[in-house]
């Protein structure tokens, strides 16, 4: 007598009950709160303040942010550059980033206090073979969750991409200029920018952009 095969149990969807989707950025008020938190730590908060402010200003992907070297952000005369150019991978064009005066001061203080040299990573992680490696994505994410929690926000509402989206969303809401935001984020296609920012529209992104022309 042949044994009946058991039907496989219905597999539960891995994300059942979880809210999945793009996480937004920080509001200007939240940015000021986190900056205030880190600034109040004095010398102990120099690295984190420079890291957070640079991430907000540049809108860089985490991997490019942590791979910045001192020579990328500082001229030979010791002055922090107001504009930096960062090379992206996969044949994408380099992206130009503007650094605010606040970020420039934070970077200058951190580089001086830490004794970083021109070839050093601005935000180092662990050391291997006597040389510092860039901060890992995991460490960056862990730091972000810590900052968010300490200012009374829910860490699950934010991720590393929240740093990248913050200024992009702020500029888009203020100008409606999706093309400019596309360039700042280093995207090749405007459709990629619309998807990345989670624009809730079924319209053609280009048509949406043109509707906000000045």
């Amino acid at each position: 007598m042949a044994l009946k095969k058991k039907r496989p149990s219905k597999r539960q969807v891995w994300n059942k009950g979880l809210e999945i989707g793009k996480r937004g950025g920080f509001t200007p008020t939240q940015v000021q709160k986190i900056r205030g938190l880190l600034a109040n730590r004095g010398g102990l908060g120099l690295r984190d303040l420079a890291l957070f402010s640079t991430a907000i200003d540049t809108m860089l992907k985490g991997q490019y942010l942590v791979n910045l070297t001192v020579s990328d952000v500082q001229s030979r005369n010791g002055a922090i550059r107001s504009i930096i150019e960062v090379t992206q991978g996969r044949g994408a064009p380099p992206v130009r980033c503007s650094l605010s005066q606040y970020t420039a001061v934070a970077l200058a203080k951190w580089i001086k206090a830490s004794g970083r040299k021109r070839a050093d990573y601005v935000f180092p992680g662990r050391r291997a073979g006597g040389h510092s490696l860039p901060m890992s994505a995991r460490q960056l994410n862990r730091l972000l969750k810590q900052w968010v929690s300490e200012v009374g926000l829910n860490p699950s509402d934010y991720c590393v991409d929240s740093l990248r989206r913050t200024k992009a969303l702020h500029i888009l809401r203020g100008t409606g200029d999706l093309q400019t935001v596309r360039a700042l984020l280093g995207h090749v296609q405007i459709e990629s920018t619309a998807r990345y920012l989670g624009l809730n529209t079924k319209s053609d992104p280009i048509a949406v952009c043109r509707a906000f022309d000045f």
Side-chain angles (χ1 to χ4, degrees), residues 28-191:
T29 299
Q30 290 169 341
V31 169
Q32 294 303 320
K33 282 185 176 181
I34 295 175
R35 277 179 171 170
L37 168 77
L38 301 176
N40 287 338
R41 292 177 178 170
L44 296 176
L46 286 178
R47 183 203 62 180
D48 290 1
L49 181 59
L51 174 60
F52 177 72
S53 293
T54 303
I56 295 295
D57 275 3
T58 62
M59 296 172 272
L60 288 170
K61 290 181 180 179
Q63 67 194 85
Y64 301 132
L65 173 69
V66 298
N67 275 284
L68 288 174
T69 64
V70 172
S71 62
D72 289 327
V73 302
Q74 188 181 58
S75 301
R76 289 190 176 277
N77 64 5
I80 299 298
R81 306 178 194 275
S82 60
I83 298 175
I84 64 174
E85 188 170 282
V86 180
T87 302
Q88 302 186 97
R90 299 182 181 179
V95 59
R96 299 176 78 231
C97 311
S98 174
L99 298 179
S100 67
Q101 183 61 31
Y102 187 97
T103 299
V105 171
L107 280 168
K109 288 182 177 180
W110 161 240
I111 291 171
K112 181 179 180 180
S114 61
R116 303 274 92 199
K117 305 301 182 184
R118 287 185 59 79
D120 292 340
Y121 293 109
V122 181
F123 308 113
R126 63 185 179 86
R127 295 179 66 86
H131 299 284
S132 293
L133 298 176
M135 179 182 293
S136 67
R138 178 176 293 183
Q139 184 178 359
L140 176 59
N141 186 64
R142 186 169 62 247
L143 285 171
L144 174 65
K145 298 290 186 181
Q146 179 182 324
W147 303 333
V148 166
S149 178
E150 289 185 30
V151 296
L153 300 175
N154 187 346
S156 64
D157 290 340
Y158 302 91
C159 65
V160 170
D161 266 2
S162 298
L163 297 169
R164 178 162 155 79
R165 291 192 179 103
T166 292
K167 199 167 186 177
L169 287 168
H170 185 60
I171 292 171
L172 182 60
R173 288 164 183 158
T175 67
D177 191 343
L178 194 57
Q179 282 285 14
T180 292
V181 176
R182 177 201 63 76
L184 292 170
L185 288 173
H187 290 158
V188 175
Q189 298 180 333
I190 198 169
E191 290 82 0

